[in-house]
Each structure stands twice: as structure tokens, then as C-alpha cells.
């Protein structure tokens, strides 16, 4: 019997609550004959990837993780800053997906202009640099922050209410036709947020895993 393909989803921060949220988010993408989807925590990562320093600190550990993992057929870097994406791709012939890149590309297939919910204001310049690099600034309606930590978005009681408020601003004030959740820790709030806003809400980890499944299916 042939081995099932395996997709490894790596949480670059060391917060296990975020990793558990990722496991729950990708459950709908599992099926009997499909790839095995495994979510792991990068133990040496910071508790939340929230600054450029945090991004840089996990780049080489992610490269080493990808290089040393021999039983995965595709990798997902589950942080909205896509830390280490390009250096990880240099370290393997297997596909490596960044959730920010995949989330934005999925949003572009659902609406003309998209908005992003960031965790903090200081995250936004980093995200804007990335969108500028991708040549997609004209499709960005806006990005607005929750002003919460990664840990708070993953387990905070008031997170969903705050996300609904920010999502409505992106929709009604900025003209976003779809919303990308700009942190892996927001995963569990996707469906209730979409129900509240009435427009597509993209969980970037789900978007990346979906792309990985498609790549392995035709590869």
C-alpha cells in the first residue's frame, strides 16, 4: 500500500495554543485518501512572531527544520510574515508555502480588493513591504490592527468581537470585498467572522494547505 503524502504545517512561534488552533483549522481539509496534515510547533521560536526581530530569529531554524525533515512532501510556514520562506525553499526540492502569500492570492480570487486584519500597528509596515514586493498594493483596500498579541488572538475572550469591529471598518470604510486574517492565531474565528461580515474571510493557513493538497494531487 502506497504511503499517503504528508504535509507539515510549522508554527514558527512556541505557543502551543496557536498550533492547536491550526490543527482545528485544517481538519475540514482532511479526507480518507488525501494527504496526512501534521501541525508542529517550532520550539525555539518566540512566543509570538510580532516584530521584525522575531521574524529574523526564526528564519534559519525554519530552514534547518525543512532540511532535516525527510518524511514530508510539502511544507507550510504558518506565520503571516512568511518568515524564512525563501531561504527554506532554497533548502529543499519539495514545495514550501507561506500562509501570507497563499492567503492573499486566495483573497484575490474572491474579490477585486481585499483587506487585512493585523494583530498590531507595528505589523502593518512589514506586511505592506511584502505586498509591495508581490506587486499587489493596488488590490489592497486597507489593513487595520486589533492591537492584540498573538497569544490574545489565539485564546482571548474578546478577540472575535474586536475582529468583527475591524472587519466592518475594512468592509464599509475601506471597500474590502474579502478579508484576510493576518495572523495564524486567528484561525478559530474565521467562520463566525465571515457570518458576521457577510463577505469571504480567508484563513491563510487553510489557503496554504489547500494549495499544497492541489500541488501534491497533480504532482
Amino acid at each position: 500500500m502506497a504511503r499517503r503524502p504528508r504535509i507539515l504545517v510549522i508554527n514558527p512561534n512556541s505557543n502551543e495554543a496557536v498550533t492547536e488552533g491550526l490543527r482545528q483549522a485544517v481538519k475540514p481539509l482532511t479526507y480518507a485518501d488525501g494527504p496526512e496534515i501534521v501541525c508542529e510547533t517550532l520550539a525555539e521560536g518566540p512566543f509570538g512572531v510580532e516584530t521584525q526581530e522575531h521574524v529574523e530569529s526564526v528564519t534559519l531554524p525554519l530552514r534547518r527544520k525543512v532540511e532535516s525533515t525527510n518524511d514530508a512532501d510539502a511544507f507550510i510556514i504558518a506565520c503571516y510574515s512568511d518568515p524564512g520562506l525563501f531561504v527554506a525553499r532554497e533548502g529543499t526540492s519539495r514545495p514550501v508555502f507561506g500562509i501570507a502569500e497563499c492567503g492573499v492570492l486566495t483573497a484575490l480570487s474572491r474579490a477585486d480588493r481585499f483587506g487585512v486584519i493585523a494583530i498590531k500597528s507595528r505589523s502593518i509596515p512589514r506586511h505592506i513591504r511584502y505586498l509591495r514586493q508581490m506587486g499587489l498594493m493596488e488590490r489592497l483596500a486597507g489593513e487595520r490592527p486589533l492591537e492584540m498579541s498573538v497569544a490574545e488572538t489565539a485564546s482571548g475572550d474578546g478577540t472575535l468581537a474586536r475582529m468583527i469591529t475591524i472587519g466592518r471598518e475594512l468592509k464599509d470604510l475601506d471597500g474590502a470585498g474579502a478579508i484576510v486574517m493576518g495572523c495564524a492565531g486567528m484561525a478559530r474565528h474565521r467562520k463566525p467572522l465571515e457570518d458576521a461580515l457577510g463577505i469571504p474571510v480567508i484563513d491563510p493557513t487553510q489557503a496554504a494547505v489547500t494549495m499544497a493538497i492541489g500541488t501534491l494531487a497533480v504532482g
Side-chain angles (χ1 to χ4, degrees):
M1 184 175 178
R3 179 182 72 85
R4 289 171 64 195
R6 190 169 192 256
I7 298 171
L8 178 59
V9 181
I10 308 170
N11 170 22
N13 71 54
S14 55
N15 187 342
E16 182 59 33
V18 173
T19 308
E20 182 56 32
L22 296 174
R23 293 188 184 103
Q24 297 305 313
V26 302
K27 270 188 177 182
L29 300 173
T30 60
Y31 55 99
D33 297 326
E36 178 186 12
I37 305 171
V38 179
C39 299
E40 294 185 0
T41 304
L42 188 70
E44 57 263 62
F47 197 64
V49 178
E50 299 176 358
T51 67
Q52 191 65 43
E53 180 183 5
H54 292 156
V55 170
E56 303 297 343
S57 73
V58 299
T59 297
L60 293 181
L62 283 166
R63 164 71 179 252
R64 290 192 290 269
K65 178 68 175 177
V66 168
E67 282 186 309
S68 64
T69 301
N70 298 314
D71 60 349
D73 301 281
F75 300 91
I76 311 292
I77 296 178
C79 169
Y80 196 74
S81 294
D82 285 353
L85 178 60
F86 303 111
V87 72
R89 284 173 174 168
E90 284 185 349
T92 180
S93 60
R94 293 161 288 175
V96 183
F97 298 88
I99 67 168
E101 186 174 60
C102 295
V104 168
L105 293 176
T106 300
L108 294 177
S109 72
R110 303 293 304 278
D112 182 57
R113 300 175 74 226
F114 67 95
V116 179
I117 299 178
I119 51 171
K120 293 185 177 181
S121 296
R122 65 185 180 184
S123 303
I124 295 177
R126 185 168 68 250
H127 298 166
I128 294 298
R129 286 196 299 270
Y130 196 20
L131 288 174
R132 190 180 299 120
Q133 178 183 328
M134 295 173 69
L136 295 175
M137 285 299 297
E138 290 186 0
R139 302 286 295 274
L140 176 68
E143 180 164 356
R144 293 174 180 262
L146 298 177
E147 302 299 4
M148 303 174 76
S149 68
V150 172
E152 287 171 332
T153 64
S155 57
D157 292 335
T159 303
L160 178 59
R162 178 67 178 152
M163 290 180 71
I164 291 172
T165 297
I166 297 301
R168 284 177 176 155
E169 291 175 357
L170 288 165
K171 175 186 175 182
D172 298 335
L173 301 180
D174 300 331
I179 302 294
V180 181
M181 301 191 302
C183 176
M186 300 176 187
R188 68 190 180 101
H189 304 296
R190 191 207 69 79
K191 185 63 167 63
L193 180 61
E194 184 171 272
D195 290 343
L197 298 180
I199 58 175
V201 174
I202 311 300
D203 173 67
T205 303
Q206 290 177 338
V209 171
T210 299
M211 290 189 185
I213 291 171
T215 298
L216 294 178
V218 301

